[in-house]
Amino acid sequence: MLTAGTLFIWLMCNRHLPLVRASQPDLLSQIILGCVIGSLANVFGSADDRIFSSGRLTTFCNLEIWTYGVGFAICFTGLLLKVWKAKTAILKAVKKLKEQKISVIQSALLIGCGISLECITLGIWTAFDSFKWQRQ
């Protein structure tokens, strides 16, 4: 978490630099956010049964899967979007077409689809076969 916070602060402070602008700071921020959310799975997974009740631990088991899944979806859609933008730029250069831009709406739609798909999958999984905490 500390590393992600430090990287985010560095990214915001150096946003104006050409190299950082070329690296698409919005998508880098999205990847940092996805890593932070995904890392929360470790926090929920390390809950101790001497401190928390079994009901709370069952909730933590499910939150562990949800935070990892949603964090992964946020990171993956960010990386997928970067690849899509690079492909668009390369095709533009190869075909010498007029400039093709990927709008914020298109980006948000792709990110929203990825997160929605992950939440639907996790929701179905949780509804039909959620994790139950038990000591073995």
Side-chain angles (χ1 to χ4, degrees):
M1 301 291 180
L2 181 63
T3 303
T6 304
L7 288 173
F8 184 74
I9 290 169
W10 181 88
L11 184 63
M12 292 299 112
C13 291
N14 295 298
R15 237 183 140 89
H16 64 283
L17 297 175
L19 183 61
V20 176
R21 276 197 321 242
S23 300
Q24 302 165 337
D26 294 335
L27 295 177
L28 292 175
S29 300
Q30 178 185 345
I31 292 169
I32 292 171
L33 175 66
C35 288
V36 167
I37 292 173
S39 295
L40 286 175
N42 295 329
V43 174
F44 293 121
S46 64
D48 191 355
D49 64 331
R50 292 173 290 187
I51 299 172
F52 299 104
S53 67
S54 64
R56 179 69 50 100
L57 289 169
T58 297
T59 302
F60 286 169
C61 285
N62 288 303
L63 283 174
E64 181 180 4
I65 299 301
W66 274 82
T67 54
Y68 179 78
V70 171
F72 177 80
I74 291 171
C75 282
F76 185 76
T77 55
L79 292 171
L80 183 64
L81 195 54
K82 282 184 80 65
V83 169
W84 185 28
K85 285 185 175 190
K87 176 189 158 228
T88 301
I90 290 170
L91 287 177
K92 177 190 74 166
V94 169
K95 294 181 180 179
K96 296 186 180 180
L97 298 173
K98 65 179 188 171
E99 187 172 347
Q100 296 178 358
K101 292 207 176 214
I102 297 173
S103 70
V104 174
I105 305 268
Q106 288 173 314
S107 299
L109 186 62
L110 178 66
I111 293 165
C113 286
I115 294 171
S116 297
L117 182 63
E118 183 69 25
C119 287
I120 289 168
T121 303
L122 288 170
I124 291 170
W125 185 10
T126 302
F128 289 104
D129 189 26
S130 65
F131 285 105
K132 303 281 188 275
W133 183 87
Q134 66 183 29
R135 168 68 74 187
Q136 291 192 17

